[in-house]
Structure formats: structure tokens, C-alpha cells
Amino acid sequence: MVEVKTGFEMHPHENMEIISYIVDGEITHKDSMGNSETLKRGEVQYLSAGDGIYHSEKNESDKILRLLQIWIIPPQKGLPRLYGSKRYTKEQRDNKLLHIVSSQDGNCDIKIYQDVNIYVSEFDKELEFEIKEDRQIYFVQIEGSSTVNGVALDFGDAMEIKNEDKIVINPISKSHILFIEMKK
């Protein structure tokens, strides 16, 4: 959570992949590569810092900013820097799993270097996801409550899922989730 009219001044990162998923409010990003933009609910920003980048992230609005910021170690150091964003609509994630991030070999608009897949959904009906062999999931209940393979999760809860071949997600109330699928 980032309070109104606050944020993080220009600071460095290197050899890190950072994905920001906006839950509420707005984030304004500026960086040393010349990128500058503001993103809102359901929109995604990504940054692969490679050999180094400076950036700032601020909440310049009059509403508290809630976001999930996911930091991922790249598969090797010194990779070329990447920056981008995607403006998804509510309809794209409504009662379905929206695939928002993949590896360079994947099929998403947002591609990072690490072998991960990130999905989001806002839903009020059952969802299922098949887990491939030697893969696992880190699951976050952003809003509402649901059960994942029978385990109840409330707002803010998270869980790691290993040694399963699928997940079945049932809403207890209207839910908003994000999960990361990755190698074990």
C-alpha cells in the first residue's frame, strides 16, 4: 500500500525482474530509459533491470494505491533491460484466468526472462487450472474469499501449492486472485 501523494524517489535496481499488478489507485512510473506512465486497476507494469536502471514509482493521486509487486531473480545476470506495460480490462479477467506474464518462450504480451507464468482473475464461479509435472504455484487471494483445493483463503492470504496436478478454485464471495506458476 502506498499512501496518497507519496512513493519511491529515483533509485537503482539491477539483475531483477519486477512485475507490478495494480489493485486500486494509480502508480506513476519514471525511469532512466525515458519511460513515463501512469497505470490503474488491473493494469500491469514490468521491468527487467538487467545491468542497471534507475526508476521512481509514486502515487500522485488522491486515493491510496494498492498493488502487488513481484520480484523475480532472472536466470542470469546482465540480461538486456526490458520495460513495458499492458492495460487489461475487467472483462478480460472476469470469470476466467487471464495469463498476464510469461517467459520469453511463452505467448503473453508481457514476456520476462525467468520461466514463470502469472495469472489473474476476478470471479464468482469455479475456475480450474492444470499444473504440469515439476511445476508449482504461489497463490494470492487479493480480494474476497475462496477455496483452493478445499482450503479456505481470505483477503490477503497466500499459499504455496506443490505436488498437485491441478487446482480447483471456488469463490466463497466475489474474489480477485493472482497466482504464479513456476518450476519446483
Side-chain angles (χ1 to χ4, degrees):
M1 186 162 53
V2 182
E3 294 295 329
V4 171
K5 307 291 185 196
T6 66
F8 305 94
E9 297 295 333
M10 200 64 77
H11 61 281
H13 287 290
E14 63 181 44
N15 297 310
M16 186 60 62
E17 299 193 283
I18 304 168
I19 294 94
S20 298
Y21 178 73
I22 313 311
V23 177
D24 281 313
E26 299 178 356
I27 189 171
T28 298
H29 169 94
K30 293 180 183 171
D31 67 41
S32 58
M33 294 191 309
N35 299 299
S36 178
E37 67 180 328
T38 299
L39 298 167
K40 300 175 182 177
R41 182 178 176 92
E43 298 175 344
V44 182
Q45 171 196 84
Y46 66 99
L47 170 68
S48 289
D51 60 359
I53 188 171
Y54 282 82
H55 76 129
S56 67
E57 293 177 325
K58 296 182 179 180
N59 176 6
E60 296 177 345
S61 76
D62 294 323
K63 182 178 179 183
I64 290 175
L65 166 65
R66 285 186 52 224
L67 75 155
L68 294 178
Q69 193 166 76
I70 302 153
W71 292 44
I72 299 171
I73 298 171
Q76 66 187 61
K77 292 184 176 187
L79 291 166
R81 291 173 294 204
L82 300 172
Y83 175 83
S85 62
K86 181 70 177 172
R87 299 180 190 285
Y88 294 106
T89 65
K90 184 177 185 319
E91 291 74 31
Q92 289 176 286
R93 63 184 177 277
D94 191 38
N95 281 319
K96 59 184 154 256
L97 293 172
L98 175 61
H99 192 183
I100 60 171
V101 175
S102 69
S103 69
Q104 293 291 312
D105 295 332
N107 59 4
C108 284
D109 290 333
I110 297 175
K111 296 180 183 199
I112 63 172
Y113 294 111
Q114 191 52 268
D115 179 13
V116 300
N117 293 287
I118 301 177
Y119 296 84
V120 296
S121 183
E122 289 186 56
F123 63 101
D124 58 8
K125 68 176 191 175
E126 183 178 282
L127 300 172
E128 289 189 10
F129 181 81
E130 300 291 326
I131 304 171
K132 294 179 181 166
E133 189 173 339
D134 296 324
R135 306 291 284 183
Q136 64 184 348
I137 289 177
Y138 182 75
F139 188 99
V140 179
Q141 184 77 39
I142 300 171
E143 296 170 316
S145 58
S146 63
T147 62
V148 180
N149 291 357
V151 177
L153 296 175
D154 290 318
F155 164 82
D157 287 345
M159 69 187 301
E160 184 178 35
I161 302 164
K162 290 182 173 184
N163 305 318
E164 301 281 343
D165 58 3
K166 75 175 179 177
I167 55 172
V168 178
I169 312 158
N170 282 294
I172 296 170
S173 63
K174 179 75 173 173
S175 288
H176 189 182
I177 60 163
L178 176 145
F179 66 84
I180 306 164
E181 183 267 347
M182 67 197 108
K183 292 186 292 187
K184 284 187 181 177

